[in-house]
Structures are given as C-alpha cells and as structure tokens.
Amino acid sequence: MAKQQLPDGKLVYLHCSSIFNGQNALFRRPKKIHQLLEHHQRSIKTLTKEFTLPAIAAVAKDLLEDRIFESLPRAKLRYPELFQPPSESQEAKRVASEAEAVRTEAEAAQDVVLTSDNERGENFEEGSQVDEPEAILENNVKIGDCVQVGAAELELGQAPPILHLVQALLEDSCLDFGNTWAPEMMKARRWDEAESIELTQWTRKFLQITENLPETAIMKTSGQSLKDVLFATSSLRHSAVHRLRTSAAGIMKMLKAAVTFTEALNDSKRTEKIMDIKTRLEASIEEIVQHQNLLERKLTDQFQDIARRRAELDELERSCVQEMLAADEQQRNEVGSALEISLVGSTQVSNLDGYSNVNVGEEKTDAEAEEEIDAVSLVDALYSFV
C-alpha cells in the first residue's frame, strides 16, 4: 500500500519536470495540479508506487510556487546534484550519436547542393562558374558541442525559421556589401533587393570580384580562406530551403559560419544580430540538454525499479518451483507408502489362505482313510462269515 509521507522534492522534480513545463509550470491551484498528475499517472509510476497522488501533488505545488519547474537556473540552484555532467561512457555515446547525426545531415545537404546546381545550370558569366570546395558542407557541420538523447534535433517546425532568419540577414549583408564595393555591377544587374538572387549566388559572385576590391573591403580570417568562409554558408541555405532535419550541433555550426561570413564582409550590425540569435539558441539547447539529462536519470531510476521488481519475480518464480517440487515429492512419498502398505497386507492375507487350504486337505485325507479301513473290515467280516 502507498505510504502517506511526502516524497522528496528532488524526486518530484526529477519525475515531474516533463509534466510541469511550458504553460503547465504556471499552475498553482491544487485541483489543477492533482488533475494534471492524474492525467500523467503512467509516467510517474515510480513515485505512485511509494507515495499517494495527493502527497506528490502537495510537493509539486510547493515547487511550482517556488518557480522551480519554470526556471532552469532555480532548479540547478535547488538541486545541483541532478545537473552533474554525464559520465564518460554517456559522453562517449553522445559524441558517437551526434557524429552519426551530423554525418547524415552532411550527406543529405551535399545531395541537395549537387541536385540544385545541376537543375539550375546557370552561370553569372559564360565560362566563369566557380566551383564550391569539395566536401565543404560536411566540414561545416561537424560536431561542435555534444547535445542529445540520441542526437538532439530541433523540431522540423523550429529549425527552418531560425535558418531563414539568419539567411535573410546574410543576404542583407551581401546587398550592402555589393552596393558599397560594386555599385556598378549591382545597378547593371538590377540587384536592388536582398532577395534578388540566392545566397549561394551572392557568394559565388563576390568570390569572382574580390581580386578587384581594395584590401579593406574584406576582413581576413585566420585559418580559413575567403573561399571557405563564403561557401561555408551553403549548408545553412540548403537546410532552410529544403527543410532538412538538423541537429542542434549542426545549427550551431551554421550560425558560427554565418558570424564568420558577416565579419569577413565587415558587417558589424548583422554580426551582432546573428551573435544574439546564436547566444539565445545556445541557452535553449542547454535547457534541452539539461532536460534530457533529467530524463536519462529518470529512466535510470525506472530501470532500477524494473530490475528490483524483476528480481522479486525471479524469487517468486524460484519459490513457486520449489513449492511445486516439494509438493510433488510429498505426494510421491505418500502414494509410495500407501502402495507399500497395500502390498504387504495382500501378501499376509494370501499366506493365511494357503495355510487353511492345507489343513482342510489333510482332514479330508484322514476321513477317506477311515472309510477305507471300515470297508476293509466289512469285507473281512463277510469272508469270515462265509
């Protein structure tokens, strides 16, 4: 039967953090809290096995009033032991999972790039097509920071708006750069809006004209050529347009490439905006990771509970088998004893019957002998009389 004492707040936070999130973290009325817990009772079986639902709701209400569920910093401050870094084995699994996710993304993005280029078949000037560096997309989406339960992904509806926003900022930066350093070209081609051409086409054209620009037009980046910097944003554009599923680490890598891009074009305004997006996204990803860590800890507790119950079932199974064997042995002993008694009794009765038969036979023989003697005596008497 469930115990009546209150559960520890840490346990309630660990098992209920996925329930009291978003708007649910604003609940304060006991009835609403109890109803929500009752609706999600299957996900808190570990708690309800030890504590009553009203007891869990009472502790959850205290955590809600202290805003523990709605504030990750508050939760870290209250329960720092729940937010310890993952073990080396868990970290290795995260890295492997993230690497596989990013590798898959790179292959998908590369296929899109090749298909798009083949279908477009357009050059800005005859015979002056500039090829993108080989495998540049794969290099631009290697793992940055490890984020996962598996590899963390932003939902399909979340990633494209972020990437579209950054793409628009990059295209605005390209428009300003072209108007500043190549106004004649911009006017001749009637590129008067950022959406006049695609981001990848902007970068190709800029790479063609950089030799004729003053050194102050482009800021040099250490460790990367201008070609790499410009084309590093290709994966961002293709992921946004073709709605490719993208890991959190992959998006962070794209944003980093976008920051380097705007810095190379000396666009501090867009650099600051993209950095702000990157910072806020990092905070959101950190929240996702921490929640995933909590889910993993919760799963560990559930596995331990399952292991305990499995051990109890194994013990019950052994007990049932032993009880069956003992009952079988007892029954066999009882039946064997009964059979032995029956056989011994039958043998004794048989011996008594045989003895009786022998005596009767002897009695019959004596009578016959007497009759024979009497007959002989009678014959002898007759002969003597004659």
Side-chain angles (χ1 to χ4, degrees):
M1 184 167 178
K3 300 177 183 178
Q4 295 301 316
Q5 71 266 26
L6 297 179
D8 183 69
K10 179 172 65 176
L11 282 176
V12 175
Y13 179 79
L14 178 63
H15 290 275
C16 299
S17 59
S18 59
I19 299 174
F20 295 105
N21 58 10
Q23 292 299 314
N24 292 346
L26 304 178
F27 285 2
R28 299 293 184 269
R29 294 174 58 188
K31 184 178 179 180
K32 285 286 188 181
I33 296 171
H34 189 279
Q35 288 176 345
L36 189 61
L37 288 173
E38 195 172 27
H39 181 70
H40 292 87
Q41 197 163 350
R42 291 186 61 184
S43 66
I44 55 173
K45 279 185 178 180
T46 304
L47 282 179
T48 54
K49 283 191 63 178
E50 301 293 332
F51 306 98
T52 63
L53 209 57
I56 299 170
V59 177
K61 182 177 183 298
D62 292 339
L63 295 177
L64 287 165
E65 289 176 345
D66 292 340
R67 300 178 61 191
I68 301 301
F69 286 113
E70 63 182 284
S71 172
L72 187 61
R74 287 174 183 266
K76 284 184 177 181
L77 201 60
R78 176 74 67 89
Y79 306 118
E81 63 275 17
L82 292 179
F83 299 92
Q84 297 298 321
S87 63
E88 292 184 2
S89 60
Q90 290 176 320
E91 188 69 16
K93 290 179 181 179
R94 287 178 185 275
V95 171
S97 179
E98 188 71 20
E100 178 62 21
V102 173
R103 183 189 64 78
T104 304
E105 292 167 17
E107 291 177 353
Q110 185 67 53
D111 289 341
V112 170
V113 171
L114 294 176
T115 302
S116 299
D117 287 347
N118 291 336
E119 290 178 350
R120 187 185 305 114
E122 58 183 357
N123 298 324
F124 291 98
E125 296 175 4
E126 282 296 320
S128 60
Q129 178 80 18
V130 178
D131 296 328
E132 296 184 17
E134 292 184 3
I136 188 66
L137 292 177
E138 185 172 358
N139 292 336
N140 286 335
V141 288
K142 286 181 181 177
I143 288 182
D145 298 325
C146 176
V147 182
Q148 71 151 27
V149 168
E153 295 178 353
L154 295 181
E155 292 298 327
L156 195 60
Q158 298 169 343
I162 297 173
L163 299 179
H164 278 302
L165 176 59
V166 176
Q167 179 184 351
L169 291 172
L170 294 178
E171 290 173 345
D172 287 340
S173 183
C174 290
L175 180 66
D176 287 352
F177 182 86
N179 288 333
T180 301
W181 299 103
E184 297 82 4
M185 178 192 72
M186 300 290 287
K187 185 177 180 179
R189 295 180 179 276
R190 296 182 181 179
W191 292 344
D192 50 4
E193 295 181 358
E195 297 81 8
S196 297
I197 59 174
E198 295 178 354
L199 178 61
T200 51
Q201 296 172 351
W202 279 116
T203 56
R204 286 173 179 165
K205 190 58 186 175
F206 287 164
L207 192 60
Q208 295 175 13
I209 66 173
T210 49
E211 294 181 358
N212 301 322
L213 299 179
E215 292 184 1
T216 55
I218 301 290
M219 179 183 293
K220 294 183 179 180
T221 55
S222 58
Q224 286 183 288
S225 66
L226 178 61
K227 187 177 183 180
D228 289 344
V229 171
L230 293 178
F231 285 115
T233 57
S234 297
S235 59
L236 186 150
R237 183 263 172 191
H238 291 299
S239 295
V241 172
H242 297 281
R243 301 179 66 83
L244 301 180
R245 185 172 293 277
T246 309
S247 67
I251 294 179
M252 294 306 297
K253 196 72 175 181
M254 294 176 194
L255 295 184
K256 183 179 179 181
V259 169
T260 304
F261 183 96
T262 53
E263 287 177 341
L265 298 187
N266 287 304
D267 189 344
S268 59
K269 178 181 176 182
R270 271 83 182 201
T271 298
E272 184 177 346
K273 288 184 178 181
I274 296 174
M275 282 294 296
D276 180 62
I277 295 172
K278 184 172 177 288
T279 300
R280 285 189 287 171
L281 184 60
E282 283 174 335
S284 298
I285 291 173
E286 175 64 18
E287 184 175 352
I288 292 173
V289 172
Q290 295 298 341
H291 187 253
Q292 289 174 341
N293 289 337
L294 289 177
L295 290 177
E296 289 178 352
R297 291 179 186 274
K298 177 182 176 180
L299 185 63
T300 299
D301 286 352
Q302 290 173 330
F303 280 169
Q304 290 174 349
D305 182 60
I306 291 171
R308 177 184 59 77
R309 284 186 284 169
R310 184 178 289 118
E312 291 175 355
L313 290 174
D314 290 343
E315 181 60 30
L316 179 61
E317 180 182 354
R318 284 192 294 269
S319 176
C320 291
V321 171
Q322 290 174 356
E323 183 179 347
M324 181 200 70
L325 294 176
D328 178 59
E329 184 178 2
Q330 181 180 355
Q331 177 68 7
R332 285 188 286 109
N333 289 337
E334 291 176 354
V335 171
S337 298
L339 180 61
E340 183 179 354
I341 293 172
S342 175
L343 291 175
V344 170
S346 298
T347 303
Q348 290 175 347
V349 171
S350 177
N351 290 339
L352 289 174
D353 290 343
Y355 178 75
S356 299
N357 291 334
V358 170
N359 290 337
V360 171
E362 290 176 352
E363 289 176 359
K364 288 183 178 179
T365 302
D366 292 342
E368 291 174 356
E370 290 178 357
E371 289 179 358
E372 288 178 356
I373 292 172
D374 291 340
V376 170
S377 299
L378 180 60
V379 171
D380 289 343
L382 290 174
Y383 275 114
S384 64
F385 184 77
V386 174

